[in-house]
Amino acid sequence: MSCLRRCCVGLSAGLLALVCGTAAASQWRSGWGLAGSPPAPASDTATPQLQLRQRGTLIQVWVDHRGFGPVQVRLRNRQPGVSPLLPLLRTLSGPGQQLLLELPAGPAYQLVLDSVPGQPQPASQAFEYRLPFDPAAGVRVHQGAHGRASHHDAQNRYAWDFALAEGTPVLAARAGRVMATRSSACCTTNVAGDGGNWVRIEHEDGSMAIYAHLQAGSLAVTPGQRIAQGQPLGRVGNTGYSRGAHLHFAVQINTGLSLHSIPVQLNGPQGRLQASSGSAGP
């Protein structure tokens, strides 16, 4: 599950021409940490958008960041060498509009904004996570670390897929703040990595948890909301790239324009949860 989002704008003949899209790249592809590159829907609050404004002979480059929590961005031109100010690397807070830089009007800019959620950091603190659901629902690991179906890249290497009945309440495994959500998916798709409906939560040490494939219309939290451990986030669903109702859970850090999942200690009713690698599917 991976995420580098890309937004592009172009300048043509000295005029501002917005051609911003949600073309995905190899890192933050779907806004939440899954491999694959489904298009971002309007309800995806994770992707910063570029805005261009002309001020005299200068072009102001603004970014509209609607998610909460930090996001690392890299502004570059498709053709390198056009401006000594590019590429520009910065970490933004959110939400809101922020001025990145001003460029002289004239050159044919094709600006690209790459973005990855989170504050860049080399590691996170050790923490004992609770199960992201009531263990009375039954603990069945459908795919664990290094799972052959989809847990083989950096963003998902240590992810967990729990097979649960659709509608099972999903609970916060750790306290934090909701960074972004996606809440428009209704059905399963054939697009690898499409996480359906999801919630991304930032923890106090900068790590981030992703809860995915949630039931349509079930999200119980909104971006910016502070949540406690054990608080309901939504319900288990079968949305996105899924072959059955399940919960995808992973903890990730931004290691520098790149998301990496990290090993986590999950505590169940019988102590630390253990899972072998392998999988029956996503």
Side-chain angles (χ1 to χ4, degrees):
M1 302 189 171
S2 78
C3 299
L4 168 107
R5 295 308 292 271
R6 179 173 293 165
C7 182
C8 311
V9 295
L11 302 180
S12 176
L15 300 177
L16 300 186
L18 183 63
V19 293
C20 186
T22 54
S26 59
Q27 302 295 325
W28 189 6
R29 295 178 185 165
S30 54
W32 59 289
L34 278 184
S37 55
S43 59
D44 181 342
T45 62
T47 309
Q49 300 292 310
L50 279 178
Q51 295 183 353
L52 303 181
R53 304 174 190 174
Q54 193 156 3
R55 188 175 71 87
T57 60
L58 296 176
I59 301 300
Q60 292 185 332
V61 183
W62 292 75
V63 62
D64 185 6
H65 175 32
R66 300 184 181 182
F68 285 76
V71 60
Q72 187 182 25
V73 300
R74 177 179 58 197
L75 181 69
R76 56 188 174 86
N77 199 61
R78 287 191 185 276
Q79 298 297 326
V82 172
S83 170
L85 301 176
L86 300 173
L88 174 70
L89 189 66
R90 187 171 296 176
T91 301
L92 309 174
S93 59
Q97 295 184 351
Q98 300 178 53
L99 178 64
L100 288 183
L101 82 166
E102 293 181 327
L103 295 169
Y109 299 107
Q110 288 292 325
L111 300 177
V112 179
L113 184 74
D114 302 319
S115 59
V116 171
Q119 180 76 34
Q121 59 186 65
S124 66
Q125 300 171 2
F127 187 84
E128 295 184 3
Y129 290 78
R130 62 159 289 166
L131 286 174
F133 54 90
D134 187 337
V139 182
R140 180 186 170 198
V141 178
H142 189 58
Q143 183 179 192
H146 304 279
R148 293 187 298 272
S150 58
H151 294 178
H152 44 70
D153 60 350
Q155 296 87 352
N156 304 292
R157 189 164 293 132
Y158 297 102
W160 298 77
D161 284 351
F162 295 99
L164 294 160
E166 188 162 354
T168 301
V170 175
L171 310 176
R174 181 178 179 179
R177 181 174 67 166
V178 180
M179 298 181 73
T181 62
R182 180 186 177 189
S183 60
S184 67
C186 68
C187 318
T188 59
T189 71
N190 293 321
V191 181
D194 184 351
N197 302 310
W198 50 260
V199 174
R200 176 177 287 276
I201 294 175
E202 180 189 27
H203 307 134
E204 63 178 358
D205 63 352
S207 63
M208 299 165 287
I210 191 75
Y211 305 76
H213 301 294
L214 304 184
Q215 192 176 56
S218 75
L219 267 63
V221 296
T222 57
Q225 182 178 346
R226 297 281 181 180
I227 56 139
Q229 187 180 51
Q231 183 170 334
L233 306 177
R235 293 182 179 275
V236 172
N238 188 26
T239 58
Y241 185 62
S242 176
R243 299 176 185 174
H246 74 286
L247 171 66
H248 176 94
F249 172 79
V251 178
Q252 302 167 327
I253 59 173
N254 176 2
T255 58
L257 276 179
S258 181
L259 279 180
H260 283 70
S261 62
I262 59 176
V264 295
Q265 179 175 336
L266 281 171
N267 290 329
Q270 298 180 346
R272 184 170 183 173
L273 193 64
Q274 302 287 340
S276 60
S277 62
S279 168

